[in-house]
Amino acid sequence: MDKLQNTIEILREYNQEHVIDLLEKLDEDKRRELIKQIDNIDFHQITELYNNTKKQIEFKESKIEPLEYLDKEKISQEQKNQFDKLGEEIVKEGQYAVVTMAGGQGTRLGHSGPKGTFKLDVYGKGKYLFEILAENLKEANREYNARIPWYIMTSKENNKETVDFLEKNSYFGYDKNNVVVFTQSELPIVNEQGKLMIGKDLKIKEASDGNGGTYSSLRSSGCLADMKERGIKWIFIGSVDNALLKMVDITLLGMAKYKNVQIASKSVVKANPHEKVGVFCKMNGHPKVIEYSELPIKMAEEVDSEGELKYGESHIMCNLYTIEAIEKVSKEPLMYHSAYKKNSYIDESGKEVIPSEPNSYKFESFIFDAFEFFDDIAILRGKREDDFAPVKNKEGVDSPKTAKELYEKFWNRS
Ligand code: UTP
């Protein structure tokens, strides 16, 4: 059977006849490209993910317990010094690297371009989110006399724009030899009937496979090998959209080393028991971030003997790993969650349809779903006003306006 025939058989088997029609209309070059793309699609997986969108999520019987944490504000000076010394040694010895996850679509913010190219209106002149991150790293390099490698994860969709932007801005003064931009994997988007969608480029529409894709993409891109070559032992992974993200927190790093754990995370306490954020817990003996919708109300309100919420530590995408931990999770398949989103497409008559309502499913894995592969995690509670100024929504909570206020307040204090 020739290649085309083989591809047609597969498409027929998985009820994707509209793609066969397209294949038949394309010129030879375009057809070859489309066949190549189809070859890389795991149709069995996509069918299963689509079928799962129709199923009610079952919460399995689980044992949920609080997870221990240390409050950075409350640890003794002696303990803090001990952690800081351990952390500082790691950074100074060149064993520390940072990864920025910048492959998201930023749909809620609605900025036309990669999120890192969004300019936050601070101090009159404004600063780009990538600029804020670069400044944070440059400062750490100065303080610890280090040259921290900076890995930036992009999506296929925003890679070129991101690289062009960083080049144009000379990496905001960060040594280009210590910046590695890599691209994460994608999965096809399907419509409400489970059909693959066709994009304007006459290819199947695909989208980044979620921030949980960071681990496997670090491996497949060669970044993990590069880290090993550079002698990296600890890796920080953070988001692109937190204007107060501290990527080099030696207390967190030293605490992880002291506690001899493979993973660690900075948290901030929930603003109130009912805030809609994921919180850390132990589920069936393993660390986990539990969504607010899965945490029974009674538990969400429970306090300990000191009046602190038992399940109050929110996950703020401020995570730390040993290189062995990344090795391990980069080989583990994570579960996929589906998101119902708006996606434009080309219909059978070749016209572009731009929907005003969600019309399709995107499949994503989440970075924190890897925590359960470990027995333990070290959590350090930071402070919202020092550590967390997310830029998520166009307006209201976690918007450029709130991030600007938090950023300026922090820097006016420091
Ligand atoms: P979010 O899950 O908040 O997504 O990403 P987002 O793309 O920024 O925004 P919405 O949901 O479309 O409005 C948290 C972090 O994970 C990264 C984002 O770039 C951000 O730093 N991310 C998300 C990826 O790197 N890849 C993905 O596939 C998804």
Side-chain angles (χ1 to χ4, degrees):
M1 206 188 313
D2 74 0
K3 190 96 197 130
L4 176 63
Q5 206 47 43
N6 189 26
T7 306
I8 289 175
E9 290 294 313
I10 294 171
L11 291 168
R12 201 166 280 139
E13 186 185 340
Y14 288 96
N15 301 319
Q16 305 291 342
E17 280 83 1
H18 62 300
V19 186
I20 304 178
D21 294 344
L22 174 67
L23 268 177
E24 283 164 355
K25 281 188 217 152
L26 293 176
D27 65 35
E28 210 167 306
D29 283 352
K30 280 260 173 217
R31 184 187 297 162
R32 203 172 312 118
E33 269 180 49
L34 185 58
I35 291 177
K36 198 166 151 215
Q37 189 189 15
I38 295 167
D39 272 353
N40 286 322
I41 294 176
D42 181 342
F43 282 90
H44 180 73
Q45 177 193 38
I46 295 300
T47 309
E48 208 167 79
L49 290 174
Y50 169 70
N51 289 339
N52 286 344
T53 65
K54 306 286 161 217
K55 287 186 197 150
Q56 199 78 344
I57 298 173
E58 281 172 41
F59 296 132
K60 288 187 215 106
E61 207 41 57
S62 314
K63 186 171 171 219
I64 304 172
E65 296 164 284
L67 197 56
E68 260 182 49
Y69 66 90
L70 284 184
D71 188 336
K72 202 173 178 180
E73 278 284 284
K74 293 187 182 158
I75 51 177
S76 67
Q77 194 56 46
E78 195 190 339
Q79 176 87 97
K80 185 168 181 303
N81 292 345
Q82 195 175 17
F83 290 163
D84 289 357
K85 189 164 173 284
L86 287 171
E88 196 170 331
E89 267 167 24
I90 294 168
V91 181
K92 282 193 162 156
E93 279 165 23
Q95 298 172 348
Y96 190 73
V98 160
V99 178
T100 296
M101 300 181 293
Q105 289 181 305
T107 43
R108 286 168 288 169
L109 182 63
H111 163 61
S112 66
K115 226 186 202 180
T117 69
F118 179 79
K119 200 175 208 177
L120 198 61
D121 164 36
V122 288
Y123 296 125
K125 212 165 133 259
K127 283 181 189 200
Y128 297 104
L129 290 177
F130 275 133
E131 183 178 2
I132 292 175
L133 294 176
E135 282 180 353
N136 182 239
L137 283 182
K138 281 193 291 183
E139 178 56 32
N141 280 346
R142 252 193 310 272
E143 194 163 348
Y144 307 118
N145 190 25
R147 285 196 303 270
I148 301 169
W150 184 16
Y151 298 85
I152 300 173
M153 183 172 81
T154 60
S155 63
K156 285 193 185 142
E157 196 183 343
N158 73 16
N159 176 272
K160 184 170 180 318
E161 226 180 316
T162 304
V163 174
D164 290 350
F165 176 82
L166 291 170
E167 281 283 338
K168 191 170 149 237
N169 290 286
S170 311
Y171 293 79
F172 297 102
Y174 208 76
D175 180 1
K176 195 176 154 177
N177 295 320
N178 289 322
V179 182
V180 182
V181 182
F182 68 105
T183 307
Q184 73 175 107
S185 325
E186 294 193 315
L187 280 176
I189 296 171
V190 296
N191 73 8
E192 287 153 316
Q193 286 74 43
K195 306 279 184 206
L196 297 168
M197 296 172 88
I198 310 299
K200 267 211 296 215
D201 56 358
L202 300 182
K203 283 191 174 171
I204 289 161
K205 272 205 125 160
E206 300 193 52
S208 303
D209 57 358
N211 54 38
T214 310
Y215 308 120
S216 57
S217 301
L218 277 173
R219 173 182 288 278
S220 58
S221 63
C223 289
L224 187 56
D226 183 66
M227 286 171 177
K228 283 197 211 156
E229 225 161 86
R230 292 181 192 238
I232 300 301
K233 299 221 161 79
W234 291 88
I235 296 134
F236 176 89
I237 304 183
S239 59
V240 71
D241 54 7
N242 173 4
L244 285 180
L245 183 68
K246 309 286 179 294
M247 294 182 282
V248 192
D249 183 333
I250 53 169
T251 317
L252 176 69
L253 181 55
M255 170 185 167
K257 168 102 182 170
Y258 178 85
K259 287 185 170 262
N260 196 21
V261 287
Q262 293 222 297
I263 52 171
S265 190
K266 172 100 67 74
S267 66
V268 297
V269 70
K270 263 171 139 179
N272 65 68
H274 307 291
E275 192 189 1
K276 292 182 171 170
V277 290
V279 289
F280 283 98
C281 71
K282 208 159 217 188
M283 193 181 276
N284 302 326
H286 293 275
K288 170 138 184 110
V289 173
I290 186 167
E291 291 290 353
Y292 62 90
S293 50
E294 293 175 45
L295 187 68
I297 291 180
K298 210 170 142 260
M299 280 184 161
E301 293 173 344
E302 249 179 287
V303 287
D304 64 16
S305 56
E306 296 185 7
E308 296 276 9
L309 287 174
K310 278 191 175 176
Y311 300 94
E313 302 316 301
S314 352
H315 175 254
I316 56 165
M317 305 246 173
C318 189
N319 299 318
L320 183 67
Y321 309 76
T322 61
I323 192 140
E324 291 80 17
I326 300 285
E327 275 273 0
K328 174 181 157 117
V329 291
S330 64
K331 287 184 265 184
E332 298 276 0
L334 298 184
M335 71 173 285
Y336 285 102
H337 305 254
S338 66
Y340 190 40
K341 296 210 172 187
K342 282 189 266 185
N343 270 294
S344 58
Y345 63 99
I346 299 292
D347 70 10
E348 270 102 273
S349 64
K351 264 209 342 258
E352 188 183 19
V353 180
I354 302 175
S356 53
E357 295 299 323
N359 63 335
S360 50
Y361 296 100
K362 177 179 185 240
F363 304 108
E364 295 184 305
S365 61
F366 296 157
I367 190 125
F368 53 71
D369 279 335
F371 296 162
E372 57 197 272
F373 298 124
F374 299 90
D375 292 330
D376 207 358
I377 185 169
I379 308 279
L380 184 68
R381 178 193 280 184
K383 283 210 297 201
R384 211 169 260 263
E385 59 269 38
D386 291 351
D387 295 297
F388 197 43
V391 182
K392 294 285 177 197
N393 305 307
K394 212 174 174 59
E395 280 160 359
V397 286
D398 300 342
S399 63
K401 186 166 178 283
T402 56
K404 167 196 162 71
E405 280 163 14
L406 286 161
Y407 182 88
E408 288 181 345
K409 233 186 210 166
F410 175 83
W411 286 104
N412 289 344
R413 258 190 292 128
S414 317

